[in-house]
Amino acid sequence: MSHKAHGEGRQRILPLVIGAIGVVFGDIGTSPLYTLKEAFGHQYGLQPNPANVLGVLSLVFWAMLLIVTIKYVMVVMRADNRGEGGILALMAVVQRSLPIASPLAYTVGILGILGTALFFGDAVITPAISVLSAVEGLEVATPKLHQYVVPITLAVLLLLFTVQRKGTERVGRIFGPVMVLWFLCLAVLGVMQILRNPVVLYALNPFYAFEFFLHQGVIAWLALGAVVLAVTGGEALYADMGHFGRFPISRAWLLFVMPALVLNYFGQGALVLADPAALKNPFYGLVPAPLLYPMIILATLATVIASQAVISGAFSLARQAIQLGYLPRFKLIHTSDETIGQVYLPWVNRILMVAVMLLVLSFRSSSNLASAYGVSVTGAMLIDTLLLMILASSRWRWPGWAIALVGVAYLIIDGALFSSNAIKFFHGAWVPVALGMIVFTLMRTWRRGRDLVREQVNRDSLRIEHFVQSVMTDPPVRVTGTAVFMTPSNDYMPPALLHNLKHNKVLHERNVLLSVETLSVPRAEELERVAYTDLGHGFARLTLRYGYMEDPDVPKALKRWAIPGPPFDSMDTTFFASREALTANADQGMALWRDKLFLVMSRNATPATEFFSIPGNRLVELGTQVVI
């Protein structure tokens, strides 16, 4: 019986492991296309002698072991937010672990937003460098095809972004098998060269990494800017944890993906030791001539899959940021009835497509793009380390000496990787930094602007308890039915209620002040979904709570959720909402340019009523003037 149960468990876990290989490891799995080539690029001036080759290979191996395996697989993935991962999930977990009103909460929020912004900078570069490096294999096969590399790359990327609106569920089923084949090919190609020159296995010894630093000094530190390419995508193990679970991802990495990557990197090193001329493109140098074109096709498929994973991650992260109030509400399309997480945001897709195309046209080769790559990734890794140190103290209760020892060690590692990439700022590294700062500014401006609007509206309103008492001294005419007043803060009288009473001079028999709140967890539990207070005299305060991975549907919630009081009859319920007319004032709120930026974002945002699925034929909107 136990053997049967064990077999059934293995059958259940295998599809998740294969699915994780297809989605989670695309970015890090395509790094062998360019990592070693860049480490020995002209910008560092490293000669392909045994000491340098073994030193670089040792750095690559230990970077994967220390950063991806120990930091992300063994530590970060334990900091899940009810099963979900990612920078915003980590931010929420850390904030919840802090004491109420802790001054650190604001700093943690800023770090979380900055990490999110850096991810979007990375999301633009990954598709460009991945697909470009794969298509560059044509130059190895036939040098005359050099002029077609950029046009073919643009065509592949255009097709990739165009099919996003159709969803990836059908295509996604082949991702796993394709990436399994890709990693098997990586391993086999590597083993073929290692058997011819097994001396490269000495690089597993960290002594060669230390010796490389001792002899090369500053050059070795600069070369970390290329070594980090081997671990880009490591944060995806944590970000995609909600889709596949910690166990399948960690098993896929430890037992299949990492061994395949190490074998391929070491195989490239063995090839370079035997033939230094192979440095022109050591990855494709591993491939036997008859298999070169099939390998180029497979590499292109692998890089498209890697790019797809990053694009889907950008959609998912943008959705979380919208739900948590860091970005304006925009149109969101579900591309699958079966898979909740499959979403498509047209505006994110358009921005990514234009930015990626411009990068390819501007940099024109993966080597040029490599100088722009790394800053956003290492910056996000540094932020993860800082957040983990806070979490280790506030939630895991690690002793101070352990936090200092482990935290400082990883700050040194992450700091070295970050600084080695930051030094390339004027050679292209400014691109992801600039993109990240733009996203950071947008997120901070939107969040602060919404807070100012809420404060201004509340300042001009009565507390609802006072209004309920005062209105009964001179009761207005009551009409049958239920009025639901949508408001961001149901402690105060909504402007729509005030204007309805002022102009129509009536109140409904039942008046519900409804607020929708997004919790800092992916999915709300049943017991925390509804908060209801009967205020008397036909008034009630209602709060509906959703997780940041859920889509709020107010009419459905009113019909299906266990809400105290009489049931909501959809034909007898009218929704009231305030349409805010915003104006900027230079003497209050934010800087005037940020006020104007906020006004532009507000005008282009999807109305809250549409976002919450309020039916247009049951909605009354009343205008209100707000100065920020």
Side-chain angles (χ1 to χ4, degrees), residues 183-200:
F183 285 115
L184 286 173
C185 289
L186 291 186
V188 171
L189 291 173
V191 168
M192 286 167 59
Q193 288 298 327
I194 292 171
L195 290 175
R196 294 174 185 172
N197 202 349
V199 71
V200 291

Side-chain angles (χ1 to χ4, degrees), residues 55-369:
V56 169
L57 289 177
S58 188
L59 283 174
V60 167
F61 172 75
W62 284 96
M64 286 198 289
L65 187 67
L66 291 172
I67 295 173
V68 183
T69 305
I70 296 177
K71 180 179 170 181
Y72 281 97
V73 174
M74 295 185 178
V75 181
V76 179
M77 288 179 71
R78 294 180 183 275
D80 65 292
N81 191 351
R82 295 189 185 177
E84 290 289 339
I87 185 65
L88 287 176
L90 183 58
M91 178 194 76
V93 169
V94 175
Q95 285 181 325
R96 285 205 309 274
S97 72
L98 296 172
I100 296 172
S102 169
L104 265 180
Y106 178 78
T107 304
V108 169
I110 293 293
L111 288 173
I113 297 172
L114 184 57
T116 303
L118 289 173
F119 173 85
F120 284 108
D122 178 43
V124 170
I125 294 187
T126 298
I129 191 172
S130 298
V131 177
L132 200 50
S133 61
V135 178
E136 281 172 350
L138 292 171
E139 295 178 305
V140 178
T142 309
K144 293 180 181 179
L145 294 176
H146 168 76
Q147 60 185 324
Y148 298 108
V149 169
V150 171
I152 291 172
T153 300
L154 292 173
V156 170
L157 289 168
L158 181 64
L159 180 63
L160 174 65
F161 283 104
T162 303
V163 301
Q164 293 301 313
R165 70 186 65 187
K166 300 185 183 298
T168 58
E169 188 176 23
R170 292 179 183 175
V171 186
R173 290 171 186 164
I174 68 164
F175 282 6
V178 169
M179 291 307 291
V180 166
L181 178 61
W182 168 254
F183 285 115
L184 286 173
C185 289
L186 291 186
V188 171
L189 291 173
V191 168
M192 286 167 59
Q193 288 298 327
I194 292 171
L195 290 175
R196 294 174 185 172
N197 202 349
V199 71
V200 291
L201 294 176
Y202 284 127
L204 294 171
N205 187 339
F207 167 78
Y208 288 92
F210 287 116
E211 190 178 45
F212 178 63
F213 263 95
L214 287 174
H215 286 116
Q216 295 296 341
V218 174
I219 299 298
W221 166 65
L222 291 173
L224 288 176
V227 171
V228 75
L229 298 173
V231 295
T232 55
E235 70 283 355
L237 278 70
Y238 178 57
D240 290 319
M241 191 165 59
H243 294 111
F244 302 101
R246 179 170 159 244
F247 185 81
I249 291 175
S250 61
R251 287 297 172 272
W253 170 254
L254 293 169
L255 302 179
F256 186 66
V257 175
M258 184 178 173
L261 290 173
V262 170
L263 288 171
N264 192 265
Y265 283 124
F266 279 49
Q268 289 185 44
L271 176 66
V272 169
L273 286 176
D275 179 16
L279 270 179
K280 184 179 180 182
N281 199 316
F283 175 81
Y284 283 113
L286 295 175
V287 184
L291 298 177
L292 195 52
Y293 283 107
M295 196 62 194
I296 292 170
I297 294 171
L298 180 59
T300 305
L301 282 174
T303 55
V304 166
I305 290 170
S307 304
Q308 176 60 60
V310 172
I311 294 166
S312 297
F315 291 160
S316 178
L317 196 60
R319 176 198 187 189
Q320 293 176 37
I322 290 169
Q323 302 286 47
L324 290 169
Y326 290 110
L327 285 175
R329 302 180 185 100
F330 284 117
K331 185 178 181 182
L332 186 148
I333 300 168
H334 284 273
T335 58
S336 171
D337 295 328
E338 298 174 12
T339 309
I340 296 173
Q342 293 276 347
V343 292
Y344 167 65
L345 286 85
W347 60 279
V348 175
N349 194 60
R350 284 193 291 269
I351 292 171
L352 284 178
M353 181 176 72
V354 171
V356 170
M357 297 288 195
L358 287 175
L359 278 179
V360 172
L361 287 170
S362 302
F363 287 84
R364 306 192 71 83
S365 78
S366 62
S367 292
N368 293 337
L369 262 172

Side-chain angles (χ1 to χ4, degrees), residues 569-627:
D569 182 356
S570 59
M571 299 306 296
D572 200 31
T573 299
T574 304
F575 293 90
F576 289 83
S578 299
R579 176 61 69 92
E580 296 153 349
L582 304 175
T583 54
N585 187 338
D587 298 327
Q588 63 186 72
M590 301 178 286
L592 188 59
W593 69 269
R594 289 184 70 193
D595 282 340
K596 291 183 177 180
L597 174 61
F598 176 71
L599 296 186
V600 171
M601 295 169 77
S602 296
R603 281 195 290 268
N604 288 280
T606 300
T609 49
E610 181 182 334
F611 188 76
F612 295 135
S613 302
I614 307 297
N617 60 351
R618 308 298 306 170
L619 173 66
V620 176
E621 287 190 298
L622 298 165
T624 182
Q625 186 79 24
V626 180
V627 180

